[in-house]
Amino acid sequence: MVGHILWLAGISLAAATRSVSSWVLVVAAVSFVLGAAAAVLGWRSYRRKSEVLAAFLWALPVSPVLLSLCVLGVTYL
């Protein structure tokens, strides 16, 4: 939920500027980097036998990353 709210705030700020395409790239890049970091932390938790935390960390970036892919597609296609 927090990731989704932060993503919406970032895209809203990006859409309010004149250089939308460059800010969309920045928000998408940050979203992908944070998603990769959450996936790595989830993998570490899984290897420590903490399946609940691993599942949470793996599911955390799904919505922002998918939404970033959609916005990139709409912006550049």
Side-chain angles (χ1 to χ4, degrees):
M1 181 88 147
V2 173
H4 182 70
I5 292 170
L6 289 174
W7 182 87
L8 284 173
I11 289 296
S12 297
L13 288 174
T17 64
R18 290 186 178 183
S19 57
V20 173
S21 61
S22 62
W23 279 107
V24 166
L25 287 175
V26 170
V27 171
V30 169
S31 176
F32 294 142
V33 168
L34 291 177
V40 168
L41 290 174
W43 179 251
R44 286 183 182 174
S45 296
Y46 179 74
R47 295 198 61 183
R48 285 188 222 138
K49 305 293 185 205
S50 178
E51 285 97 10
V52 174
L53 181 60
F56 173 74
L57 288 170
W58 282 336
L60 186 64
V62 169
S63 177
V65 169
L66 288 177
L67 290 172
S68 292
L69 286 173
C70 291
V71 169
L72 285 173
V74 167
T75 304
Y76 292 106
L77 292 180

Coordinates of all heavy atoms in Angstrom, one line a residue:
M1 N 0.8 -1.2 0.0 CA 0.0 0.0 0.0 C 0.9 1.3 0.0 O 0.6 2.2 -0.7 CB -0.9 0.0 1.2 CG -1.8 1.1 1.3 SD -3.3 0.6 0.5 CE -4.6 1.3 1.2
V2 N 1.9 1.3 0.8 CA 2.8 2.4 0.9 C 3.5 2.6 -0.4 O 3.6 3.8 -0.9 CB 3.8 2.3 2.0 CG1 4.8 3.4 2.0 CG2 3.1 2.2 3.4
G3 N 4.0 1.5 -1.1 CA 4.6 1.7 -2.3 C 3.7 2.2 -3.4 O 4.1 3.0 -4.2
H4 N 2.4 1.8 -3.4 CA 1.5 2.3 -4.3 C 1.2 3.8 -4.1 O 1.2 4.6 -5.1 CB 0.2 1.5 -4.2 CG -0.9 1.9 -5.2 ND1 -0.8 1.6 -6.5 CD2 -2.0 2.6 -5.0 CE1 -1.9 2.1 -7.1 NE2 -2.6 2.7 -6.3
I5 N 1.1 4.2 -2.9 CA 0.9 5.6 -2.6 C 2.1 6.5 -3.0 O 1.9 7.5 -3.6 CB 0.5 5.8 -1.1 CG1 -0.8 5.2 -0.8 CG2 0.5 7.3 -0.7 CD1 -1.1 5.1 0.6
L6 N 3.3 6.0 -2.7 CA 4.5 6.7 -3.1 C 4.6 6.8 -4.6 O 5.0 7.8 -5.2 CB 5.7 6.1 -2.5 CG 5.9 6.3 -1.0 CD1 7.1 5.5 -0.5 CD2 6.0 7.7 -0.7
W7 N 4.2 5.7 -5.3 CA 4.3 5.7 -6.8 C 3.3 6.7 -7.3 O 3.6 7.5 -8.3 CB 4.0 4.3 -7.3 CG 4.1 4.2 -8.8 CD1 5.2 3.9 -9.5 CD2 3.0 4.4 -9.7 NE1 4.9 3.9 -10.8 CE2 3.5 4.2 -11.0 CE3 1.7 4.7 -9.6 CZ2 2.8 4.4 -12.1 CZ3 0.9 4.8 -10.7 CH2 1.5 4.7 -12.0
L8 N 2.1 6.7 -6.8 CA 1.1 7.7 -7.3 C 1.5 9.1 -7.1 O 1.3 10.0 -7.9 CB -0.3 7.5 -6.6 CG -1.1 6.3 -7.1 CD1 -2.3 6.0 -6.2 CD2 -1.5 6.4 -8.5
A9 N 2.2 9.4 -5.9 CA 2.7 10.7 -5.6 C 3.8 11.1 -6.6 O 3.8 12.2 -7.2 CB 3.2 10.8 -4.2
G10 N 4.7 10.2 -6.9 CA 5.7 10.4 -7.9 C 5.2 10.7 -9.3 O 5.7 11.6 -10.0
I11 N 4.3 9.9 -9.7 CA 3.7 10.1 -11.1 C 2.9 11.4 -11.1 O 2.9 12.1 -12.1 CB 2.9 8.8 -11.5 CG1 3.8 7.6 -11.8 CG2 2.0 9.1 -12.7 CD1 4.7 7.8 -12.9
S12 N 2.2 11.7 -10.1 CA 1.4 13.0 -10.1 C 2.4 14.2 -10.2 O 2.1 15.1 -10.9 CB 0.6 13.1 -8.8 OG -0.4 12.0 -8.8
L13 N 3.5 14.1 -9.4 CA 4.5 15.2 -9.5 C 5.1 15.2 -10.9 O 5.3 16.3 -11.5 CB 5.5 15.0 -8.5 CG 5.1 15.3 -7.0 CD1 6.2 15.0 -6.0 CD2 4.7 16.8 -6.9
A14 N 5.4 14.1 -11.5 CA 5.9 14.0 -12.8 C 5.0 14.6 -13.9 O 5.4 15.3 -14.8 CB 6.3 12.6 -13.2
A15 N 3.7 14.3 -13.7 CA 2.7 14.7 -14.7 C 2.5 16.2 -14.6 O 2.1 16.9 -15.6 CB 1.4 14.0 -14.5
A16 N 2.8 16.8 -13.4 CA 2.6 18.3 -13.3 C 3.7 19.1 -13.9 O 3.5 20.3 -14.0 CB 2.5 18.6 -11.8
T17 N 4.8 18.5 -14.3 CA 5.9 19.3 -14.9 C 5.8 19.3 -16.4 O 5.0 18.5 -17.0 CB 7.2 18.7 -14.5 OG1 7.3 17.4 -15.0 CG2 7.4 18.6 -13.0
R18 N 6.6 20.1 -17.0 CA 6.6 20.2 -18.5 C 7.3 19.0 -19.1 O 7.0 18.6 -20.2 CB 7.2 21.5 -18.9 CG 6.3 22.7 -18.6 CD 6.8 23.9 -19.2 NE 5.9 25.0 -18.9 CZ 6.0 26.2 -19.4 NH1 7.1 26.5 -20.1 NH2 5.1 27.1 -19.1
S19 N 8.3 18.5 -18.4 CA 9.1 17.4 -19.0 C 8.7 16.1 -18.4 O 9.4 15.4 -17.7 CB 10.6 17.7 -18.6 OG 10.8 17.8 -17.2
V20 N 7.4 15.7 -18.8 CA 6.8 14.5 -18.2 C 7.6 13.3 -18.6 O 7.9 12.4 -17.7 CB 5.4 14.4 -18.8 CG1 4.8 13.1 -18.4 CG2 4.5 15.5 -18.3
S21 N 8.1 13.2 -19.8 CA 8.8 12.0 -20.2 C 10.0 11.7 -19.4 O 10.3 10.5 -19.1 CB 9.1 12.0 -21.7 OG 9.9 13.1 -22.0
S22 N 10.8 12.7 -19.1 CA 12.0 12.5 -18.3 C 11.7 12.1 -16.9 O 12.4 11.2 -16.3 CB 12.9 13.7 -18.4 OG 12.3 14.8 -17.8
W23 N 10.7 12.7 -16.3 CA 10.3 12.4 -14.9 C 9.7 11.0 -14.8 O 9.8 10.3 -13.8 CB 9.4 13.5 -14.3 CG 10.2 14.6 -13.9 CD1 10.2 15.9 -14.5 CD2 11.0 14.7 -12.7 NE1 11.1 16.7 -13.7 CE2 11.6 16.0 -12.7 CE3 11.4 13.8 -11.8 CZ2 12.5 16.4 -11.7 CZ3 12.3 14.2 -10.8 CH2 12.8 15.5 -10.7
V24 N 9.0 10.6 -15.8 CA 8.4 9.3 -15.8 C 9.5 8.2 -15.8 O 9.5 7.2 -15.1 CB 7.5 9.1 -17.0 CG1 7.2 7.6 -17.3 CG2 6.2 9.8 -16.9
L25 N 10.6 8.5 -16.5 CA 11.7 7.6 -16.5 C 12.4 7.6 -15.1 O 12.8 6.5 -14.7 CB 12.8 8.0 -17.6 CG 12.4 7.8 -19.0 CD1 13.5 8.4 -19.9 CD2 12.2 6.3 -19.3
V26 N 12.5 8.7 -14.5 CA 13.1 8.7 -13.1 C 12.2 7.9 -12.2 O 12.7 7.1 -11.4 CB 13.3 10.2 -12.7 CG1 13.6 10.3 -11.2 CG2 14.3 10.9 -13.5
V27 N 10.9 8.2 -12.2 CA 10.0 7.5 -11.2 C 10.0 6.0 -11.5 O 10.1 5.1 -10.6 CB 8.6 8.0 -11.3 CG1 7.6 7.2 -10.5 CG2 8.6 9.4 -10.8
A28 N 10.0 5.6 -12.8 CA 10.1 4.2 -13.2 C 11.4 3.5 -12.7 O 11.4 2.4 -12.2 CB 9.9 4.0 -14.7
A29 N 12.5 4.2 -12.9 CA 13.8 3.7 -12.5 C 13.9 3.5 -11.0 O 14.4 2.5 -10.5 CB 14.9 4.6 -13.0
V30 N 13.4 4.5 -10.2 CA 13.4 4.3 -8.8 C 12.5 3.2 -8.4 O 12.8 2.4 -7.5 CB 12.9 5.7 -8.1 CG1 12.6 5.5 -6.7 CG2 14.0 6.7 -8.3
S31 N 11.4 3.0 -9.0 CA 10.5 1.9 -8.7 C 11.1 0.6 -9.0 O 11.0 -0.4 -8.2 CB 9.2 2.1 -9.6 OG 8.3 1.0 -9.4
F32 N 11.8 0.5 -10.1 CA 12.5 -0.8 -10.5 C 13.6 -1.1 -9.5 O 13.8 -2.3 -9.1 CB 13.0 -0.8 -11.9 CG 11.9 -0.7 -12.9 CD1 12.1 0.0 -14.1 CD2 10.7 -1.4 -12.8 CE1 11.1 0.1 -15.0 CE2 9.7 -1.4 -13.7 CZ 9.9 -0.7 -14.8
V33 N 14.4 -0.1 -9.1 CA 15.5 -0.3 -8.2 C 15.0 -0.7 -6.8 O 15.5 -1.7 -6.2 CB 16.4 1.0 -8.1 CG1 17.3 0.9 -6.9 CG2 17.1 1.2 -9.4
L34 N 14.0 -0.1 -6.3 CA 13.4 -0.4 -5.0 C 12.7 -1.8 -5.1 O 12.8 -2.6 -4.2 CB 12.4 0.6 -4.6 CG 13.0 1.9 -4.2 CD1 11.9 2.9 -3.8 CD2 14.0 1.8 -3.0
G35 N 12.1 -2.2 -6.3 CA 11.6 -3.5 -6.4 C 12.7 -4.6 -6.4 O 12.5 -5.6 -5.8
A36 N 13.8 -4.3 -7.1 CA 14.9 -5.2 -7.0 C 15.5 -5.4 -5.6 O 15.8 -6.5 -5.2 CB 16.0 -4.8 -8.0
A37 N 15.6 -4.3 -4.9 CA 16.1 -4.3 -3.5 C 15.1 -5.2 -2.6 O 15.6 -6.0 -1.8 CB 16.2 -2.9 -3.0
A38 N 13.8 -5.0 -2.8 CA 12.9 -5.8 -2.0 C 13.0 -7.3 -2.4 O 12.8 -8.1 -1.5 CB 11.4 -5.3 -2.2
A39 N 13.2 -7.5 -3.7 CA 13.3 -8.9 -4.1 C 14.6 -9.6 -3.5 O 14.5 -10.7 -3.0 CB 13.4 -9.0 -5.6
V40 N 15.7 -8.8 -3.4 CA 16.9 -9.4 -2.8 C 16.7 -9.6 -1.4 O 17.1 -10.6 -0.8 CB 18.1 -8.4 -3.1 CG1 19.3 -8.8 -2.3 CG2 18.4 -8.4 -4.6
L41 N 16.1 -8.6 -0.7 CA 15.8 -8.8 0.8 C 14.9 -10.0 1.0 O 15.0 -10.7 2.0 CB 15.2 -7.5 1.4 CG 16.2 -6.4 1.5 CD1 15.5 -5.1 1.9 CD2 17.3 -6.7 2.4
G42 N 13.9 -10.2 0.1 CA 13.0 -11.3 0.2 C 13.7 -12.6 0.0 O 13.4 -13.6 0.7
W43 N 14.7 -12.7 -0.9 CA 15.4 -13.9 -1.1 C 16.3 -14.2 0.1 O 16.4 -15.4 0.5 CB 16.3 -13.8 -2.4 CG 17.2 -15.0 -2.6 CD1 18.5 -15.1 -2.4 CD2 16.7 -16.3 -3.0 NE1 18.9 -16.3 -2.7 CE2 17.8 -17.1 -3.1 CE3 15.5 -16.8 -3.3 CZ2 17.7 -18.4 -3.4 CZ3 15.4 -18.1 -3.7 CH2 16.5 -18.9 -3.7
R44 N 16.9 -13.2 0.7 CA 17.7 -13.4 1.9 C 16.8 -13.9 3.1 O 17.2 -14.8 3.8 CB 18.4 -12.1 2.4 CG 19.5 -11.8 1.5 CD 20.2 -10.5 2.0 NE 21.3 -10.1 1.2 CZ 22.0 -9.0 1.3 NH1 21.7 -8.2 2.3 NH2 23.0 -8.8 0.5
S45 N 15.6 -13.3 3.2 CA 14.7 -13.8 4.2 C 14.2 -15.2 4.0 O 14.1 -16.0 4.9 CB 13.5 -12.9 4.3 OG 13.8 -11.6 4.7
Y46 N 14.0 -15.6 2.7 CA 13.6 -16.9 2.4 C 14.7 -17.9 2.7 O 14.4 -19.0 3.2 CB 13.3 -17.0 0.9 CG 12.9 -18.4 0.5 CD1 11.6 -18.9 0.8 CD2 13.8 -19.2 -0.3 CE1 11.3 -20.2 0.4 CE2 13.4 -20.4 -0.7 CZ 12.1 -20.9 -0.4 OH 11.8 -22.2 -0.8
R47 N 16.0 -17.6 2.5 CA 17.1 -18.5 2.8 C 17.3 -18.6 4.3 O 17.8 -19.6 4.8 CB 18.4 -17.9 2.2 CG 18.2 -18.0 0.6 CD 19.5 -18.0 0.0 NE 20.3 -19.1 0.4 CZ 21.6 -19.3 -0.1 NH1 22.1 -18.4 -0.9 NH2 22.3 -20.3 0.4
R48 N 16.8 -17.6 5.1 CA 16.9 -17.7 6.6 C 15.6 -18.4 7.1 O 15.4 -18.4 8.4 CB 17.0 -16.3 7.2 CG 18.3 -15.7 7.0 CD 18.3 -14.4 7.8 NE 19.0 -13.4 7.0 CZ 18.7 -12.1 6.9 NH1 17.6 -11.7 7.5 NH2 19.4 -11.3 6.2
K49 N 14.8 -19.0 6.3 CA 13.6 -19.7 6.7 C 12.5 -18.8 7.3 O 11.8 -19.2 8.1 CB 14.0 -20.8 7.7 CG 15.0 -21.8 7.2 CD 14.5 -22.6 6.1 CE 15.5 -23.7 5.7 NZ 15.5 -24.1 4.3
S50 N 12.5 -17.6 6.8 CA 11.4 -16.7 7.2 C 10.5 -16.5 6.1 O 10.5 -15.4 5.4 CB 12.0 -15.3 7.7 OG 11.0 -14.4 8.1
E51 N 9.6 -17.4 5.8 CA 8.8 -17.4 4.6 C 7.8 -16.3 4.6 O 7.4 -15.8 3.6 CB 8.1 -18.8 4.5 CG 9.0 -19.9 4.0 CD 9.5 -20.7 5.1 OE1 9.0 -20.6 6.2 OE2 10.4 -21.6 4.8
V52 N 7.2 -15.9 5.8 CA 6.2 -14.9 5.9 C 6.8 -13.5 5.5 O 6.3 -12.8 4.6 CB 5.6 -14.8 7.3 CG1 4.7 -13.6 7.4 CG2 4.9 -16.1 7.6
L53 N 8.0 -13.2 6.0 CA 8.7 -12.0 5.6 C 9.1 -12.0 4.2 O 9.0 -11.0 3.5 CB 9.9 -11.7 6.5 CG 10.6 -10.4 6.3 CD1 9.8 -9.2 6.5 CD2 11.9 -10.4 7.2
A54 N 9.5 -13.1 3.7 CA 9.9 -13.2 2.3 C 8.7 -13.0 1.4 O 8.9 -12.3 0.4 CB 10.5 -14.6 2.0
A55 N 7.6 -13.6 1.7 CA 6.4 -13.4 0.9 C 6.0 -11.9 0.9 O 5.6 -11.4 -0.2 CB 5.3 -14.3 1.4
F56 N 6.1 -11.3 2.0 CA 5.7 -9.9 2.1 C 6.6 -9.0 1.2 O 6.2 -8.2 0.5 CB 5.8 -9.4 3.5 CG 5.6 -7.9 3.7 CD1 4.3 -7.3 3.5 CD2 6.7 -7.1 4.0 CE1 4.2 -6.0 3.6 CE2 6.5 -5.7 4.1 CZ 5.3 -5.2 3.9
L57 N 7.9 -9.3 1.3 CA 8.9 -8.5 0.6 C 8.8 -8.8 -0.9 O 9.0 -7.8 -1.7 CB 10.3 -8.8 1.1 CG 10.7 -8.2 2.4 CD1 12.0 -8.8 2.9 CD2 10.7 -6.7 2.4
W58 N 8.5 -10.0 -1.3 CA 8.3 -10.3 -2.7 C 7.1 -9.6 -3.3 O 7.0 -9.2 -4.5 CB 8.3 -11.8 -3.0 CG 9.7 -12.4 -3.0 CD1 10.8 -11.8 -3.2 CD2 10.0 -13.8 -2.7 NE1 11.9 -12.7 -3.1 CE2 11.4 -13.9 -2.7 CE3 9.2 -14.9 -2.4 CZ2 12.0 -15.1 -2.5 CZ3 9.8 -16.1 -2.1 CH2 11.2 -16.2 -2.2
A59 N 6.0 -9.5 -2.5 CA 4.7 -9.0 -3.0 C 4.7 -7.4 -2.9 O 3.9 -6.8 -3.6 CB 3.6 -9.5 -2.2
L60 N 5.6 -6.9 -2.1 CA 5.6 -5.4 -1.9 C 5.8 -4.6 -3.2 O 5.0 -3.7 -3.4 CB 6.7 -5.1 -0.9 CG 6.8 -3.6 -0.4 CD1 5.5 -3.3 0.4 CD2 8.0 -3.5 0.5
P61 N 6.7 -4.9 -4.0 CA 6.9 -4.1 -5.2 C 6.1 -4.4 -6.4 O 6.3 -3.8 -7.5 CB 8.4 -4.2 -5.5 CG 8.7 -5.6 -5.1 CD 7.8 -5.9 -3.9
V62 N 5.2 -5.4 -6.4 CA 4.5 -5.8 -7.5 C 3.7 -4.7 -8.2 O 3.8 -4.4 -9.4 CB 3.7 -7.1 -7.2 CG1 2.7 -7.4 -8.4 CG2 4.5 -8.3 -6.9
S63 N 2.9 -4.1 -7.4 CA 2.0 -3.0 -7.9 C 2.7 -1.8 -8.5 O 2.5 -1.4 -9.6 CB 1.0 -2.6 -6.8 OG 0.2 -1.5 -7.2
P64 N 3.7 -1.3 -7.7 CA 4.4 -0.1 -8.3 C 5.2 -0.5 -9.6 O 5.3 0.3 -10.5 CB 5.4 0.3 -7.2 CG 4.8 -0.1 -6.0 CD 4.1 -1.4 -6.3
V65 N 5.8 -1.7 -9.7 CA 6.5 -2.0 -10.9 C 5.6 -2.3 -12.0 O 5.9 -1.8 -13.1 CB 7.4 -3.3 -10.6 CG1 8.0 -3.9 -11.9 CG2 8.5 -2.9 -9.6
L66 N 4.5 -2.9 -11.8 CA 3.5 -3.1 -12.9 C 2.9 -1.8 -13.4 O 2.8 -1.6 -14.6 CB 2.4 -4.1 -12.5 CG 2.8 -5.5 -12.4 CD1 1.6 -6.4 -11.9 CD2 3.3 -6.1 -13.7
L67 N 2.6 -0.9 -12.5 CA 2.1 0.4 -12.8 C 3.1 1.2 -13.6 O 2.8 1.9 -14.5 CB 1.6 1.1 -11.6 CG 0.3 0.6 -11.0 CD1 0.1 1.3 -9.6 CD2 -0.8 0.7 -11.9
S68 N 4.4 1.1 -13.2 CA 5.5 1.8 -13.9 C 5.6 1.3 -15.3 O 5.8 2.1 -16.3 CB 6.8 1.6 -13.2 OG 6.8 2.3 -12.0
L69 N 5.5 0.0 -15.5 CA 5.5 -0.6 -16.9 C 4.4 -0.1 -17.7 O 4.5 0.3 -18.9 CB 5.5 -2.1 -16.8 CG 6.8 -2.8 -16.4 CD1 6.6 -4.3 -16.2 CD2 7.9 -2.5 -17.3
C70 N 3.2 0.0 -17.1 CA 2.0 0.5 -17.8 C 2.2 2.0 -18.2 O 1.9 2.4 -19.4 CB 0.8 0.4 -17.0 SG 0.2 -1.3 -16.7
V71 N 2.7 2.8 -17.3 CA 2.9 4.2 -17.6 C 4.0 4.4 -18.7 O 3.9 5.2 -19.6 CB 3.3 5.0 -16.3 CG1 3.7 6.4 -16.6 CG2 2.0 5.1 -15.4
L72 N 5.1 3.6 -18.6 CA 6.1 3.7 -19.6 C 5.5 3.3 -21.0 O 5.8 3.9 -22.0 CB 7.3 2.8 -19.3 CG 8.2 3.3 -18.2 CD1 9.2 2.2 -17.8 CD2 8.9 4.5 -18.6
G73 N 4.7 2.3 -21.0 CA 4.0 1.9 -22.3 C 3.1 3.0 -22.8 O 3.2 3.3 -24.1
V74 N 2.4 3.6 -22.0 CA 1.5 4.7 -22.4 C 2.2 5.9 -22.9 O 1.9 6.6 -23.9 CB 0.4 5.0 -21.3 CG1 -0.3 6.3 -21.6 CG2 -0.5 3.9 -21.1
T75 N 3.3 6.2 -22.2 CA 4.1 7.4 -22.5 C 4.9 7.3 -23.8 O 5.0 8.2 -24.5 CB 5.0 7.7 -21.3 OG1 4.3 7.9 -20.1 CG2 5.8 9.0 -21.6
Y76 N 5.5 6.1 -24.0 CA 6.4 6.0 -25.1 C 5.9 5.2 -26.3 O 6.6 5.1 -27.3 CB 7.7 5.4 -24.6 CG 8.4 6.3 -23.7 CD1 8.5 6.1 -22.3 CD2 9.1 7.4 -24.2 CE1 9.1 7.0 -21.5 CE2 9.7 8.3 -23.4 CZ 9.7 8.1 -22.0 OH 10.4 9.0 -21.2
L77 N 4.7 4.6 -26.2 CA 4.2 3.8 -27.3 C 3.1 4.6 -28.0 O 2.5 5.4 -27.7 CB 3.6 2.5 -26.9 CG 4.7 1.5 -26.4 CD1 4.0 0.2 -26.0 CD2 5.7 1.2 -27.5

